[in-house]
């Protein structure tokens, strides 16, 4: 029977029942619902709605239910309960009879659902924080291992200036650090307990909501019941964080797909995360990375969806809010899967040192160096830029790199160029000069790696 049967004379339509139920997806909240219910039973005991003994009976039955259902959540689906709250209550009543019917005193599914959801989000945030840090560690270890790999850095997908593979890794560490900081921020605002808000205006029972909040590990109780049951900001914030992080992961994937392409040929992905073609035997496709790139879409979709669901929704609880869950559950799983996959990709890839270096040498990525060289000799940068551009044009026409041009050729374009030009335009010199904070110089990169290792306790 539904929890609200008394007011109704006729049965729900079968189609409506199927349309209305959330059990097929909110069953993942079973553990959170039981934990919050136990906390609530203790409140009921304190205000003497139930005795100490009754509380113990309720708590033991709920824990027993949790044990039975752990790893068998599929069994929940066999029931025709409306949602996970009804399911837990019905099963409690099946175990302990009339006493089970006391548990919902002073509580509403409106404060119950958002409490469960916040507890669920909190656990997932902990998991994601752990895995985002693990991914950072993998970038850092790769950065350390490949510190001497020089490759071209790109703008507009054109070879721009030489960088190192380590430096590229550290760029992703920065993005992931921001992801972690955003998640911690979500956690800060999320971690307040709505339980005891009742349906929308608070509970008529004299309970201590702060004590209840801290018993579930919340920092405090929420301030306004009307807001508490309406608030899904934390879902939006979590999905925003997921969306931004997925952008980072998709850019990582795209970079790696390009590095792995026959055209770039900078890395080789491991067999363990690639697949073959059913027709073309030579192929090794970067499926894991392509999937990460694509899965970004469903996470962004879920963010859009919850924004639209909540826009202009009147206070306080409306059934519209049941639509907050599927997108959230799917996105958090997707995000976490993608982080784990990125770790696997990094763990097993190989760098092709020679072809990275060759690409950096061939792309005229040291043209800026010639301009800077001339500036040091007193030429205005615009002028110097122009001379360097002409030299690039000349080198292209001779099918040479800048380093291979004769000194006399350099001097045709500027008499200020001397023999020391060659040491100024080596790849190593291009890197070494950029030693101010944030630059690509190996000395800088080394310092950053040391700092990151300390921060993440890597020894
Ligand atoms: N299944 C509902 C949801 O996910 C639970 C809250 C139901 N509240 C209500 N007043 N019908 O939002």
């Amino acid at each position: 029977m539904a929890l609200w049967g008394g007011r109704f004379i006729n049965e729900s339509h079968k189609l409506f029942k199927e349309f209305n139920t959330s059990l097929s997806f909110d069953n993942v909240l079973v553990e959170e619902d039981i934990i919050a219910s136990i906390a609530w039973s203790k409140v009921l005991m304190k205000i003497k709605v139930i005795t100490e003994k009754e509380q113990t009976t309720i708590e033991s039955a709920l824990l027993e239910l949790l044990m039975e259902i752990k790893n068998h959540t599929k069994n929940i689906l066999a029931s025709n309960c409306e949602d996970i709250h009804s399911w837990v209550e019905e099963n409690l009543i099946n175990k302990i009879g009339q006493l089970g019917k006391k548990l919902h005193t002073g509580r509403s599914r409106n404060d119950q659902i958002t409490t469960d959801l916040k507890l669920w989000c909190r656990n997932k945030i902990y998991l994601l924080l752990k895995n985002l840090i693990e991914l950072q560690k993998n970038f850092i270890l790769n950065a350390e291992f490949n510190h001497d790999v020089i490759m071209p850095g790109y703008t507009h997908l054109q070879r721009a200036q030489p960088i190192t593979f380590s430096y590229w890794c550290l760029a992703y560490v920065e993005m992931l650090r921001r992801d972690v900081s955003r998640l911690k921020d979500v956690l800060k605002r999320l971690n307040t307990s709505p339980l005891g808000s009742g349906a929308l205006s608070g509970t008529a029972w004299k309970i201590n909501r702060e004590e209840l909040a801290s018993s579930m590990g919340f920092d405090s109780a929420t301030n306004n019941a009307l807001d508490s049951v309406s608030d899904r900001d934390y879902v939006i914030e979590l999905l925003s964080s997921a969306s931004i992080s997925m952008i980072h992961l998709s850019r990582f994937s795209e970079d790696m797909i390009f590095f792995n392409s026959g055209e770039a040929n900078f890395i080789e992905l491991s067999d363990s995360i690639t697949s073959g073609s059913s027709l073309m035997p030579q192929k090794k496709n970067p499926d894991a990375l392509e999937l990460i790139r694509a899965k970004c879409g469903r996470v962004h979709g879920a963010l859009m969806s919850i924004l639209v669901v909540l826009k202009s929704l009147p206070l306080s609880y409306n059934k519209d809010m049941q639509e907050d869950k599927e997108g959230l559950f799917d996105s958090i799983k997707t995000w976490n899967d993608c982080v784990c996959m990125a770790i696997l990709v990094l763990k097993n890839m190989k760098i092709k040192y020679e072809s990275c270096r060759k690409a950096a040498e061939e792309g005229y990525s040291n043209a800026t160096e010639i301009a800077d060289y001339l500036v040091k000799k007193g030429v205005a940068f615009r002028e110097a830029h122009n001379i360097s551009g002409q030299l690039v044009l000349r080198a292209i026409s001779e099918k040479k790199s800048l380093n291979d041009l004769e000194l006399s050729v350099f001097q045709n374009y500027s008499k200020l160029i001397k023999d020391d030009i060659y040491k100024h335009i080596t790849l190593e010199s291009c890197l070494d000069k950029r030693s101010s904070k944030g630059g690509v110089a190996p000395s800088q990169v080394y310092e950053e790696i040391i700092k990151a290792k300390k921060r993440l306790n890597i020894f």
Side-chain angles (χ1 to χ4, degrees):
M1 199 186 68
L3 295 174
W4 33 261
R7 154 83 174 75
F8 287 75
I9 299 165
N10 298 318
E11 276 283 300
S12 301
H13 194 286
K14 184 175 161 292
L15 277 182
F16 168 70
K17 258 186 146 171
E18 280 169 19
F19 190 62
N20 195 38
T21 178
S22 51
L23 194 64
S24 64
F25 48 91
D26 68 11
N27 65 78
V28 303
L29 298 174
V30 64
E31 194 165 337
E32 288 76 11
D33 200 75
I34 289 179
I35 286 166
S37 292
I38 292 175
W40 187 247
S41 73
K42 290 180 181 158
V43 166
L44 294 181
M45 180 188 81
K46 280 187 191 134
I47 55 170
K48 303 202 168 19
V49 168
I50 56 175
T51 64
E52 218 167 294
K53 193 158 162 272
E54 284 175 329
Q55 192 281 325
T56 314
T57 310
I58 291 176
E59 181 166 346
S60 314
L62 286 171
L63 287 175
E64 199 178 284
L65 190 58
L66 185 58
M67 288 304 146
E68 286 164 13
I69 213 62
K70 238 186 176 166
N71 310 321
H72 301 286
T73 33
K74 290 251 151 39
N75 294 353
I76 299 178
L77 299 178
S79 114
N80 65 353
C81 287
E82 187 183 325
D83 54 29
I84 192 59
H85 322 297
S86 330
W87 186 89
V88 170
E89 199 170 324
E90 186 176 289
N91 278 272
L92 177 69
I93 295 168
N94 287 345
K95 278 187 184 293
I96 60 174
Q98 284 301 105
L99 173 59
K101 295 186 181 174
K102 291 189 177 181
L103 180 65
H104 208 56
T105 314
R107 186 175 73 160
S108 159
R109 279 184 297 164
N110 299 353
D111 57 351
Q112 208 178 339
I113 181 58
T114 183
T115 306
D116 293 358
L117 201 56
K118 280 186 165 184
L119 289 172
W120 184 89
C121 288
R122 198 171 69 187
N123 281 336
K124 295 297 171 189
I125 289 175
Y126 292 146
L127 173 70
L128 272 150
L129 283 173
K130 181 177 124 312
N131 287 334
L132 285 169
I133 285 174
E134 188 57 33
L135 179 54
Q136 282 184 59
K137 285 187 182 167
N138 276 278
F139 271 115
I140 290 160
L141 293 176
N142 254 294
E144 194 170 36
F145 193 69
N146 298 298
H147 66 96
D148 55 349
V149 179
I150 303 177
M151 63 191 263
Y154 293 83
T155 60
H156 314 273
L157 219 50
Q158 307 270 317
R159 289 174 204 170
Q161 288 174 342
I163 60 169
T164 58
F165 188 76
S166 302
Y167 190 61
W168 175 87
C169 287
L170 291 183
Y172 281 95
V173 171
E174 290 302 311
M175 295 176 227
L176 292 165
R177 278 182 79 181
R178 293 195 293 273
D179 292 342
V180 165
S181 125
R182 251 184 296 275
L183 259 186
K184 287 183 177 166
D185 217 37
V186 176
L187 188 59
K188 233 187 285 168
R189 270 185 298 281
L190 168 149
N191 206 26
T192 56
S193 164
L195 201 56
S197 293
L200 76 162
S201 62
T203 179
W205 298 85
K206 291 258 163 308
I207 67 165
N208 184 338
R209 286 194 55 225
E210 290 300 345
E211 217 173 86
L212 171 62
S214 68
S215 76
M216 291 182 287
F218 287 108
D219 296 330
S220 65
T222 52
N223 287 326
N224 176 301
L226 196 60
D227 169 54
S228 308
V229 296
S230 314
D231 173 28
R232 293 294 183 276
D233 289 5
Y234 59 95
V235 177
I236 301 179
E237 285 195 50
L238 189 48
L239 285 175
S240 309
S241 302
S243 295
I244 297 173
S245 180
M246 283 299 296
I247 289 180
H248 297 154
L249 295 174
S250 76
R251 296 183 80 169
F252 158 73
S253 301
E254 178 57 21
D255 271 355
M256 293 287 272
I257 290 167
F258 169 65
F259 294 168
N260 184 61
S261 68
E263 280 63 26
N265 197 30
F266 295 165
I267 61 169
E268 179 166 355
L269 294 171
S270 139
D271 285 3
S272 64
I273 49 99
T274 47
S275 79
S277 155
S278 57
L279 176 68
M280 299 160 281
Q282 81 282 13
K283 289 188 72 186
K284 190 165 160 187
N285 299 326
D287 294 33
L289 293 162
E290 288 171 327
L291 283 170
I292 298 177
R293 186 172 62 180
K295 281 177 192 292
C296 204
R298 60 207 278 174
V299 177
H300 292 186
L303 173 62
M304 285 308 127
S305 163
I306 186 64
L307 287 170
V308 177
V309 165
L310 292 171
K311 184 204 163 283
S312 314
L313 200 64
L315 297 188
S316 59
Y317 179 83
N318 297 272
K319 197 59 173 261
D320 308 50
M321 291 159 88
Q322 181 163 289
E323 286 293 309
D324 60 1
K325 289 174 203 58
E326 284 160 290
L328 174 69
F329 296 161
D330 177 70
S331 296
I332 297 303
K333 178 180 178 332
T334 302
W335 183 15
N336 191 53
D337 287 352
C338 290
V339 173
C340 295
M341 202 44 62
I343 294 173
L344 263 190
V345 169
L346 279 176
K347 266 197 193 332
N348 296 307
M349 57 139 219
K350 281 200 193 73
I351 301 209
K352 299 177 175 173
Y353 177 93
E354 285 304 332
S355 54
C356 289
R357 189 177 172 101
K358 196 157 164 272
E361 273 165 357
E362 282 174 356
Y364 304 101
S365 60
N366 48 1
T368 319
E369 270 13 72
I370 298 179
D372 282 349
Y373 173 90
L374 287 167
V375 168
K376 276 195 194 134
K377 304 232 161 173
V379 182
F381 180 74
R382 268 299 138 243
E383 188 71 16
H385 183 283
N386 190 33
I387 295 170
S388 175
Q390 288 176 30
L391 279 161
V392 169
L393 211 57
R394 173 74 179 254
I396 292 173
S397 75
E398 288 188 20
K399 293 198 172 57
K400 284 181 174 168
S401 72
L402 287 166
N403 315 48
D404 295 332
L405 291 178
E406 308 276 331
L407 183 60
S408 58
V409 175
F410 275 113
Q411 287 174 340
N412 276 345
Y413 293 83
S414 169
K415 292 274 171 271
L416 294 169
I417 300 180
K418 301 281 181 258
D419 202 25
D420 60 351
I421 186 71
Y422 294 105
K423 73 171 193 290
H424 271 276
I425 59 175
T426 62
L427 290 177
E428 280 72 12
S429 158
C430 296
L431 299 177
D432 287 341
K433 277 182 241 149
R434 289 169 171 76
S435 61
S436 57
K437 185 179 161 83
V440 70
S443 57
Q444 264 295 312
V445 171
Y446 177 73
E447 260 179 50
E448 286 305 313
I449 292 176
I450 299 290
K451 271 196 240 162
K453 284 179 81 174
K454 261 203 196 127
R455 182 168 53 79
L456 298 172
N457 287 325
I458 312 176
F459 297 108

